[in-house]
Amino acid sequence: MSAPVPDPAAKARVALVACPDYDPQRVQTALQRGIALLGGVERFVGRNERILLKPNVLTGASPGRNVCTHPAVFAGVARLLLESGAKVSFGDSPGFGSLAAAAAKAGLAAEARELGVTMADFSTPAQVSFNEALIAKQLVLARAAVEADGIVNLPKMKTHGFMRLTGAVKNVFGCVPGMRKGEYHVKMPRVEHFAAMLVDVCRRLKPRLSVMDGIVAMEGNGPGSGTPRPMKVLLLSDDPVALDAVFCRLVRMPPQHVPTMVPGAESGLGFWADGSIAILGDDADSLACPDFQVVRSPAAEMDRSFPYYLKKWITPRPVIDAGLCQKCGVCGEVCPLEPKAVRPPNGDTDRVPVYDYPRCIRCYCCQELCPHGAIAIRRPVLSRLIHR
Ligand code: SF4
Ligand code: SF4
């Protein structure tokens, strides 16, 4: 593949490196190449610095399900950091269950043990003031993330019901501990407010480097129950907005339809416009996947300030497939509302849960975390017609 010539006017750089599969040696070679394109690992970390790796550990899912950052990518980046003399730990706040259990199932804990990478305590919160915030001037973050010398962000290339795509900016939200993530959904149910908060969290913690695992991405009903889609690519950048914009370009998604893009650029977190990003390494067009299954209309269509009689005709809603539902109750447990907007009818846990749609704030946490892929997001006919 021929290397594109970077635009000299570009303000951000994203390394795009083809990698056919998760063979550990091939992943390591691709990571080394990507880091070299960005100027070498020493640009990002120094000897004895405490660096926190932030993989995507949405929930305990085996590597074959492509929900979490793959262990080969996690281990490959950890090795590069350790070789540069950094002290490396890792952490995330899964949407359901403990980090230890989720990381073990995702294959990350075994790699971490072998490399001497410690698991950070992500359950202890720190209250952080952020006066330059777009919306969240007070943030509750994992103390381990706040106190690290630097963060290296390891997002997974996936679709997302609420934010359209989950990438580098969104991945940092996992530094909000435990159920506090749900509180942010309740406080900021509107798409643009939630996106501004995501940008604030990312700006406050400002990862030094993001490395996106796009070797096998997830399309369709992501981020927990979508379909694996080999994209055969790793993306690396110190600009998380630019990295997400290149992800958009690969899947032919208008970047401005991902709600973190515009506030991300306006707040100085990064750049998303084509002319402002230099793509280094392999050719984006030859790695692109134009038929990637993702909703390409603007996420702002889901603005939940509509009164219910309008909302039910316009706003996509979560729907349970009774044939797939295992009545495990996870959807109710992760729903941030009290009382829950999805629960078993008459408290009978042997029956498929039902939604209270007028109360539901459409955060899609239930769809995100249903362990059996039984919840899909259904777009009302009117919404589909409007955006056709
Ligand atoms: S989380 Fe999924 S499988 Fe479990 S009860 Fe809810 S819909 Fe059913
Ligand atoms: S029912 Fe699902 S989409 Fe609705 S508020 Fe609860 S978790 Fe969010």
Side-chain angles (χ1 to χ4, degrees):
M1 260 175 253
S2 62
V5 181
D7 179 346
K11 300 179 179 92
R13 299 184 314 156
V14 178
L16 193 61
V17 182
C19 186
D21 55 38
Y22 286 113
D23 172 78
Q25 193 48 54
R26 277 194 280 273
V27 171
Q28 194 72 47
T29 304
L31 288 168
Q32 278 163 342
R33 183 172 162 237
I35 294 266
L37 286 165
L38 295 177
V41 71
E42 53 286 347
R43 264 201 64 219
F44 303 102
V45 296
R47 184 158 286 281
N48 290 324
E49 280 195 306
R50 294 164 306 144
I51 301 298
L52 177 82
L53 278 176
K54 166 62 184 74
N56 183 323
V57 195
L58 174 69
T59 185
S62 63
R65 282 185 55 202
N66 291 296
V67 172
C68 304
T69 307
H70 196 279
V73 176
F74 172 83
V77 176
R79 244 178 242 117
L80 292 175
L81 299 175
L82 290 164
E83 282 164 13
S84 74
K87 294 172 180 158
V88 186
S89 62
F90 80 101
D92 193 8
S93 179
F96 186 73
S98 72
L99 173 59
K105 205 151 181 194
L108 302 178
E111 295 287 357
R113 252 192 322 275
E114 199 172 314
L115 291 166
V117 170
T118 53
M119 189 168 74
D121 167 18
F122 255 47
S123 58
T124 306
Q127 184 90 30
V128 176
S129 299
F130 186 34
N131 291 334
E132 302 80 42
L134 295 171
I135 192 165
K137 293 195 188 309
Q138 295 293 323
L139 287 164
V140 179
L141 302 169
R143 182 171 293 281
V146 176
E147 292 182 349
D149 293 326
I151 293 177
V152 172
N153 187 24
L154 302 179
K156 178 89 185 169
M157 183 183 271
K158 295 188 291 183
T159 50
H160 194 274
F162 195 23
M163 292 288 125
R164 296 289 188 254
L165 297 174
T166 175
V169 174
K170 169 80 177 57
N171 193 49
V172 186
F173 186 52
C175 293
V176 173
M179 299 310 278
R180 303 233 179 210
K181 293 206 285 295
E183 290 171 20
Y184 283 100
H185 277 290
V186 176
K187 279 189 199 153
M188 298 170 204
R190 289 178 63 164
V191 172
E192 68 269 34
H193 293 168
F194 195 80
M197 179 277 300
L198 292 177
V199 167
D200 285 340
V201 171
C202 194
R203 283 170 69 214
R204 177 61 183 78
L205 293 171
K206 192 74 204 283
R208 292 185 184 183
L209 171 70
S210 295
V211 180
M212 176 176 277
D213 169 10
I215 296 174
V216 181
M218 180 184 282
E219 63 180 357
N221 195 29
S225 307
T227 310
R229 181 77 189 245
M231 293 288 290
K232 303 183 180 180
V233 68
L234 292 165
L235 284 75
L236 301 88
S237 183
D238 56 2
D239 179 333
V241 179
L243 189 151
D244 287 348
V246 174
F247 171 15
C248 288
R249 181 167 165 182
L250 291 176
V251 300
R252 302 294 188 250
M253 171 87 178
Q256 65 276 28
H257 290 188
V258 175
T260 48
M261 286 292 168
V262 173
E266 287 176 355
S267 65
L269 179 61
F271 298 89
W272 64 267
D274 260 1
S276 59
I277 302 171
I279 298 179
L280 314 174
D282 294 325
D283 176 45
D285 287 334
S286 54
L287 289 165
C289 187
D291 63 347
F292 190 85
Q293 293 302 301
V294 58
V295 179
R296 291 185 172 79
S297 59
E301 70 174 343
M302 297 189 288
D303 187 334
R304 270 76 41 83
S305 63
F306 295 128
Y308 181 67
Y309 69 90
L310 276 180
K311 190 164 84 170
K312 74 175 176 182
W313 296 110
I314 296 173
T315 312
R317 60 182 180 172
V319 176
I320 296 176
D321 180 333
L324 294 176
C325 176
Q326 302 293 311
K327 303 160 189 119
C328 64
V330 168
C331 49
E333 282 184 56
V334 300
C335 176
L337 298 179
E338 283 301 340
K340 306 292 185 182
V342 56
R343 50 182 191 265
N346 304 318
D348 181 353
T349 52
D350 288 333
R351 292 172 64 194
V352 175
V354 290
Y355 283 99
D356 179 350
Y357 286 120
R359 293 194 66 246
C360 169
I361 58 170
R362 310 301 204 258
C363 67
Y364 309 116
C365 292
C366 50
Q367 173 264 345
E368 195 169 318
L369 291 162
C370 168
H372 303 287
I375 305 179
I377 297 175
R378 199 70 49 78
R379 301 181 78 205
V381 177
L382 186 59
S383 161
R384 274 182 269 151
L385 287 175
I386 290 170
H387 291 281
R388 183 158 293 171

